[in-house]
Amino acid sequence: MKLGFGLYRHMLNEQHYKFAKQCGATHVVVHMVDYFGNADNSKSNANQPIGGNKGWGKAGNGELWSLEELLKIKEDINSHGLEWYAIENFDPSIWHDILLDGPKKEEQIELVKEQIRIVGKAGIPVFGYNFSLAGVSSRVEKPFARGGAVSVGMEGSVDETPIPNGMVWNMIYEENAPEGTVEKVSHDILWERLQYFLDHVIPVAEEAGVKMAAHPDDPPMPYVRNTPRLVYQPDMYQRLIDMKPSDNNNLEFCLGTISEMTEGDVYEATDQYSEQNKIAYIHFRNVVGKVPNYHEVFVDEGDIDMFKILEILKRNNFEGVLIPDHTPQMSCDGAWYAGMAYAMGYMKAALGNLNRD
């Protein structure tokens, strides 16, 4: 097992690479999408975006991340003794009609396939994605963690505000979209859209040497913002895997999200999917409670026995990357840095102890 950090696009600089290295990380997972276009999402404290029903801001301009751009970032990462392990999420501007089954679906599936080829040529082994219409939603930000540290969670209700036309996955891809909202569809229809996606991209991923890694729905509710969710119970991951059997059809395994689910067991799920060698990388974070009432907390104070998770992963020979994903914000200057350093110190010590056995 290897330790890494997840970095937002505005963090791709020497300061954050040095910080990651100093904390003991060896790998990075990069968000190439900029989620901080909404004024409510401050880059200054680097906390995860919330956005509300207005979304996270503007999506990209429909252009692919070029090979030259990715290689330049990779060179910078490597120069600080780190490895670029994964990109997390497609830009909504190149796949909104794949998610929505819109008129540009066939055109956009070709864009997605080409993006995967470019990522493969850049030597980035994993591409995470979240096949979701509403994206991450319905959360509030409060002092939920130990000592009043600010974190996120749900407090008994889900956002039922319909998604306006021109928005998907929490981002605006068309500012001048006609009035109206995204149509409410069934779970089966969304699974059919996923099948189309997997049928087209997994063969390309196999050729490109890229593992596609699916994130579960966060929060894991059946419906959010009047749209269905795909993976909101642990066994639904198995359905996704079985839809397109391939070594390149993998999971972006978020422990916190799995623990928030109302059915199943986070330890059984970890065992089930790591034993199949289906976990590409892991969001190593802890929570208290289940939807629709849960709080994200420090890695050592939640419902999950994180040592037990590591023991399961070791038994099943998991060799991927663990990242803190996000953490509560500590009450000091550099709140993000302090929270991340605390999480990474815990993870590094836990792995060290595990490897002594």
Side-chain angles (χ1 to χ4, degrees):
M1 287 178 270
K2 299 172 279 287
L3 297 179
F5 270 123
L7 297 178
Y8 294 123
R9 179 150 191 156
H10 64 277
M11 297 176 173
L12 301 181
N13 54 45
E14 182 178 30
Q15 178 177 331
H16 288 90
Y17 299 149
K18 284 187 173 181
F19 172 76
K21 186 68 175 180
Q22 290 163 7
C23 285
T26 55
H27 291 70
V28 294
V29 173
V30 172
H31 296 265
M32 290 293 292
V33 182
D34 184 0
Y35 312 128
F36 290 83
N38 187 322
D40 293 336
N41 299 327
S42 172
K43 293 181 180 180
S44 63
N45 65 8
N47 198 7
Q48 55 180 311
I50 299 296
N53 57 30
K54 296 179 182 179
W56 290 341
K58 184 78 170 63
N61 57 11
E63 295 183 1
L64 302 180
W65 304 312
S66 70
L67 179 60
E68 292 74 19
E69 179 182 14
L70 298 184
L71 287 176
K72 176 62 172 65
I73 295 171
K74 185 180 181 183
E75 181 182 3
D76 290 344
I77 290 171
N78 292 160
S79 71
H80 290 86
L82 300 166
E83 295 292 330
W84 190 351
Y85 188 74
I87 289 177
E88 189 158 323
N89 295 324
F90 293 100
D91 193 303
S93 69
I94 74 163
W95 80 319
H96 54 81
D97 272 8
I98 298 171
L99 296 169
L100 296 167
D101 194 30
K104 295 181 180 179
K105 177 177 71 174
E106 293 185 3
E107 172 187 336
Q108 291 188 348
I109 202 70
E110 295 305 317
L111 288 175
V112 166
K113 287 155 69 173
E114 182 59 20
Q115 188 69 87
I116 293 168
R117 293 187 188 102
I118 291 170
V119 168
K121 290 177 182 176
I124 302 165
V126 177
F127 207 138
Y129 68 95
N130 190 336
F131 202 94
S132 173
L133 305 184
V136 181
S137 177
S138 304
R139 304 176 306 166
V140 295
E141 190 176 42
K142 290 186 176 182
F144 291 134
R146 184 175 56 229
V150 173
S151 186
V152 302
M154 288 186 74
E155 292 192 310
S157 63
V158 64
D159 187 355
E160 297 179 353
T161 308
I163 301 170
N165 288 336
M167 176 187 286
V168 75
W169 199 72
N170 255 324
M171 303 195 78
I172 299 168
Y173 64 86
E174 178 52 69
E175 293 179 300
N176 299 313
E179 291 187 10
T181 58
V182 171
E183 176 189 10
K184 184 175 183 178
V185 298
S186 68
H187 288 95
D188 287 342
I189 287 177
L190 192 59
W191 280 101
E192 289 173 5
R193 295 178 188 177
L194 176 67
Q195 184 73 68
Y196 172 85
F197 172 79
L198 294 175
D199 286 346
H200 282 80
V201 305
I202 294 302
V204 174
E206 290 171 343
E207 294 175 1
V210 175
K211 290 185 176 182
M212 303 303 298
H215 193 287
D217 287 294
D218 184 9
M221 298 287 291
Y223 279 88
V224 170
R225 299 198 66 179
N226 206 42
T227 61
R229 312 289 259 179
L230 282 175
V231 180
Y232 59 90
Q233 301 294 3
D235 63 323
M236 294 172 177
Y237 251 155
Q238 192 64 54
R239 178 177 178 180
L240 184 150
I241 292 168
D242 293 343
M243 286 172 70
K244 191 68 177 178
S246 169
D247 290 342
N248 296 71
N249 185 16
N250 286 256
L251 310 177
E252 178 187 335
F253 200 75
C254 181
L255 290 170
T257 305
I258 299 292
S259 184
E260 294 158 17
M261 295 177 179
T262 58
E263 298 176 6
D265 177 277
V266 67
Y267 309 110
E268 291 177 2
T270 302
D271 187 42
Q272 176 181 349
Y273 297 116
S274 62
E275 187 177 34
Q276 296 177 65
N277 194 29
K278 282 297 179 182
I279 300 177
Y281 64 103
I282 294 175
H283 286 175
F284 199 83
R285 63 176 175 86
N286 216 332
V287 299
V288 171
K290 294 182 177 294
V291 293
N293 291 285
Y294 76 87
H295 300 156
E296 295 186 15
V297 294
F298 287 109
V299 67
D300 61 336
E301 67 163 327
D303 293 339
I304 309 172
D305 182 340
M306 305 305 266
F307 285 95
K308 186 174 180 178
I309 293 291
L310 291 175
E311 288 169 352
I312 294 168
L313 294 172
K314 182 179 180 180
R315 183 176 70 239
N316 290 336
N317 299 311
F318 173 71
E319 296 181 350
V321 170
L322 311 170
I323 68 170
D325 183 22
H326 37 75
T327 73
Q329 304 286 285
M330 300 189 82
S331 301
C332 61
D333 293 338
W336 179 88
Y337 294 101
M340 283 292 181
Y342 183 90
M344 184 59 71
Y346 178 96
M347 293 164 67
K348 192 167 180 61
L351 270 185
N353 187 63
L354 183 74
N355 293 330
R356 290 175 60 186
D357 295 340

